Amino acid sequence: EESRLLRNEQSLAGFLLNRALTALSAGDLELAIGSAREAVELTRDMEDGFIPAAAPVALCAALLEAHDPGLVDAVDLMVQRSGGPELPFMPGGSFRAKWLELLTRCSLALGRQTDAERAAACAQDTVTSMGRLRMGTAMAERASAIVALEAGDPQLAARKALASATAADEVGIPVEAALSRTLAGRALARAGEPESAVAELTTAAAALHACGAWRYRDAAELELRRLGRRIHHRTRPGETGGHGLVSLTQRERQVADLVVSRHTNPEIATALFLSPKTVETHLRHIFHKLEITSRVELARTIEATPQREA
């Protein structure tokens, strides 16, 4: 807010970039996308530098999580502002490897297999030329793991992902280590090693929960559920004896807000890493507590409730 008042666009763009990435880890995709978009607009006419190059990176990360079709243009902008597919404008081996890992994931999501393989190879070349920095190594190994898993080699993917997690642990970046363990868990499950997969996913979920990275934790727990492990979470309960929105649990309120944002049940399930049946159950509870019978009534109830009471 100080940067807004001072009209310091360079500083404001940097803060928005950080807010977007933080919101993404916490699971607030709307805030992440909005902050990243503003950062991109603010830096549109700035000279080449880290913040103008990094702003579309944050937008790509958020749009990828949201399965937003705008990812295509965001990736092209990221490559353009970063000097090309090898992202040469990104300073330092670790930062470059991190964003190349993101480019790997984005390319695969867009069906650009060759681009993904090139980005992963470039990440490996980057950390090798810079003396194998541990954070850079963690990112490069994960990029290679992602490509290997997509190519149908889960054993190689698991080895690379676990090497990534080890490197991340050594440098003290627990969220990145946990994300690599989540990937390792997926690879191990596909390789026919369910017990090892469960061990890695359980460790990852616990670390992500401790860091407040709710969305990533939910993704790890979804993989655990697919392996037959039941997950028990106590979300914030509604007020005992309360009426209206205050009677909803934290998860019910998340579902309700997504309904108001016109998301379908399958979209809500994807956003919250739930099954469609679980979403339907939450909706039944919401309708019962609010004494309503339709999504339209739910939207009216939320819109008519003062923020302090919600």
Side-chain angles (χ1 to χ4, degrees), residues 215-233:
R215 180 173 176 79
Y216 298 149
R217 177 206 64 191
D218 290 348
E221 291 181 347
L222 176 62
E223 298 297 331
L224 283 168
R225 286 195 291 271
R226 286 172 174 165
L227 290 168
R229 299 303 172 104
R230 298 190 66 179
I231 306 298
H232 298 282
H233 264 312

Side-chain angles (χ1 to χ4, degrees), residues 78-230:
M78 176 174 74
V79 171
Q80 175 191 332
R81 288 200 188 180
S82 298
E86 296 183 356
L87 312 187
F89 292 174
M90 283 294 171
S94 293
F95 269 116
R96 191 175 302 159
K98 180 175 176 62
W99 302 136
L100 283 165
E101 185 271 345
L102 172 64
L103 182 57
T104 301
R105 289 186 284 125
C106 289
S107 297
L108 286 177
L110 296 174
R112 301 174 179 177
Q113 180 76 27
T114 300
D115 290 350
E117 293 172 355
R118 178 174 56 188
C122 185
Q124 289 286 358
D125 291 342
T126 296
V127 297
T128 299
S129 65
M130 297 293 289
R132 300 196 67 81
L133 298 172
R134 285 177 293 180
M135 177 179 171
T137 297
M139 299 299 102
E141 291 291 292
R142 191 161 75 210
S144 295
I146 292 166
V147 170
L149 188 60
E150 182 69 18
D153 192 343
Q155 288 89 355
L156 176 60
R159 289 198 300 273
K160 290 286 187 180
L162 290 173
S164 171
T166 298
D169 280 334
E170 289 174 352
V171 78
I173 42 178
V175 171
E176 298 296 350
L179 290 175
S180 293
R181 285 197 170 85
T182 300
L183 177 60
R186 289 174 51 212
L188 288 165
R190 196 174 298 182
E193 301 181 41
E195 292 305 316
S196 296
V198 167
E200 296 300 333
L201 290 166
T202 300
T203 299
L208 294 166
H209 179 81
C211 292
W214 315 124
R215 180 173 176 79
Y216 298 149
R217 177 206 64 191
D218 290 348
E221 291 181 347
L222 176 62
E223 298 297 331
L224 283 168
R225 286 195 291 271
R226 286 172 174 165
L227 290 168
R229 299 303 172 104
R230 298 190 66 179

Side-chain angles (χ1 to χ4, degrees), residues 266-287:
E267 289 171 341
I268 295 171
T270 298
L272 299 180
F273 296 102
L274 301 172
S275 71
K277 287 186 177 180
T278 300
V279 173
E280 291 172 5
T281 298
H282 283 311
L283 276 174
R284 284 199 301 271
H285 292 164
I286 292 167
F287 287 179

